[in-house]
Amino acid sequence: MWRPGQFLRAPELTRMVALVIVLCLALPDLVEAELREAWNPVGSVSETEPSDTIPAIVTDRPDVTDAATVVPRESLLVENGATFTRDHGKSLLDGTQSLIRFGVTPRTELRLEVPDYVAALGSTPDASGFGDSSMGFKQQLGPLLGQVELAVIAGVSLPTGARGVSSGGYDPFVKLPWSLELDRSWSIGGMLSFFWLTEAGRRNSTGQPTFYIERQLTKAWDVFIEYAADYPVHGGPRPILHTGTAYRITPRNQVDLHIGVGVSRAAPDFFVGIGYSFRLDHIRDAAAGRMR
């Protein structure tokens, strides 16, 4: 077991990443099989749901811009990933970047961000550890004028992380993601966010605008290019250029790959990441079936 703040050597990092990959690949099938058994007990009559009737998974990753739509009602979506970052001579590896989203109503979801482990490669042990968690909700407001999707996300970051990684404060944030489909293959979108961060014991309010262009190559495969920037009250702007791709293995399972570069002195040098997300549907119905 690694304790918060414990430095990870290269072999330990390799084992950790391998374990995360195995869990991410195995967990969805195991859980979904359990839910399917609860929903359709042995000996009961069940119908196979055609794949073309299943809503496709829509994630907040891998771009900075969050989706302007919510998770279907009574569905649980889990997003995971790992990112390597080179920032002013320092190398960082963080994961599993897990975001858990649960659809409460057709237009409302609850959100929980699990503490992320940040490993400072080649640095001192106290530079590594678990980061902060956060909780909040998303309310879908669109479509507006029949085309523009719009949502509001509100939440707060909780100081659950290790010393040297945690902000040490309760940091609220608000996000306003939007998107517009131009035709069957092209779409655009963006997000305007406001963070009230705690840095060095004081508030450092930060605005973050984003804009992306997305191209759907096939029904299951899309690519994007994105601009995003942090504009803090204290410190210089941190703009990045970001591109990536996502592929839906099934309507409920997605893998992604993304890379970005900083375009200012304050921004990170570059980063590259991978991710895997899955969605489980009919959670409450499956639980009720299990209890019968």
Side-chain angles (χ1 to χ4, degrees):
M1 292 292 293
W2 294 288
R3 297 184 301 274
Q6 182 177 356
F7 179 67
L8 299 181
R9 295 181 296 273
E12 295 171 333
L13 283 172
T14 302
R15 289 193 292 269
M16 182 183 74
V17 172
L19 178 61
V20 168
I21 293 174
V22 170
L23 289 176
C24 285
L25 290 175
L27 182 61
D29 291 335
L30 293 175
V31 175
E32 193 166 5
E34 180 72 14
L35 290 175
R36 190 183 301 112
E37 180 183 354
W39 180 234
N40 297 307
V42 177
S44 66
V45 178
S46 64
E47 296 183 358
T48 302
E49 187 177 11
S51 61
D52 57 356
T53 66
I54 302 174
I57 185 172
V58 179
T59 63
D60 283 353
R61 61 172 299 118
D63 46 354
V64 178
T65 306
D66 290 343
T69 56
V70 299
V71 177
R73 182 174 178 266
E74 297 186 2
S75 292
L76 183 72
L77 196 157
V78 182
E79 305 181 17
N80 310 279
T83 301
F84 173 81
T85 303
R86 185 70 175 176
D87 188 1
H88 296 86
K90 298 179 180 179
S91 297
L92 303 172
L93 178 64
D94 66 287
T96 57
Q97 302 174 347
S98 296
L99 172 63
I100 302 173
R101 305 164 56 193
F102 180 72
V104 181
T105 74
R107 287 182 169 269
T108 306
E109 72 177 36
L110 300 179
R111 302 163 62 87
L112 174 65
E113 188 173 359
V114 179
D116 198 29
Y117 194 92
V118 180
L121 309 181
S123 185
T124 57
D126 57 1
S128 301
F130 284 98
D132 293 338
S133 59
S134 73
M135 57 190 305
F137 71 93
K138 180 193 290 188
Q139 183 68 39
Q140 185 175 333
L141 305 176
L144 304 178
L145 304 176
Q147 293 182 326
V148 180
E149 292 289 358
L150 177 67
V152 58
I153 301 172
V156 60
S157 175
L158 309 175
T160 58
R163 181 181 301 178
V165 180
S166 171
S167 73
Y170 294 86
D171 304 335
F173 58 87
V174 176
K175 304 178 181 180
L176 297 169
W178 64 273
S179 63
L180 172 64
E181 290 190 5
L182 302 178
D183 57 30
R184 299 181 64 180
S185 299
W186 292 91
S187 63
I188 60 174
M191 185 168 67
L192 182 60
S193 305
F194 300 94
F195 302 89
W196 290 269
L197 305 175
T198 301
E199 296 180 0
R202 67 175 183 178
R203 287 292 182 193
N204 189 9
S205 301
T206 301
Q208 184 191 75
T210 72
F211 179 78
Y212 72 82
I213 301 174
E214 184 175 276
R215 165 74 169 173
Q216 188 172 8
L217 302 178
T218 69
K219 185 177 180 180
W221 184 20
D222 54 59
V223 296
F224 73 90
I225 184 170
E226 178 184 46
Y227 171 84
D230 290 341
Y231 291 94
V233 172
H234 306 288
R238 298 186 291 268
I240 62 168
L241 290 178
H242 189 204
T243 186
T245 183
Y247 182 78
R248 287 174 289 281
I249 308 170
T250 71
R252 298 188 180 100
N253 295 263
Q254 174 184 289
V255 292
D256 64 69
L257 171 68
H258 63 111
I259 186 170
V261 295
V263 291
S264 77
R265 291 185 177 180
D269 302 328
F270 72 91
F271 59 90
V272 59
I274 57 173
Y276 171 67
S277 305
F278 62 91
R279 192 187 72 223
L280 304 174
D281 295 332
H282 312 300
I283 297 296
R284 292 182 182 179
D285 291 340
R290 186 70 175 179
M291 294 176 63
R292 287 198 293 267

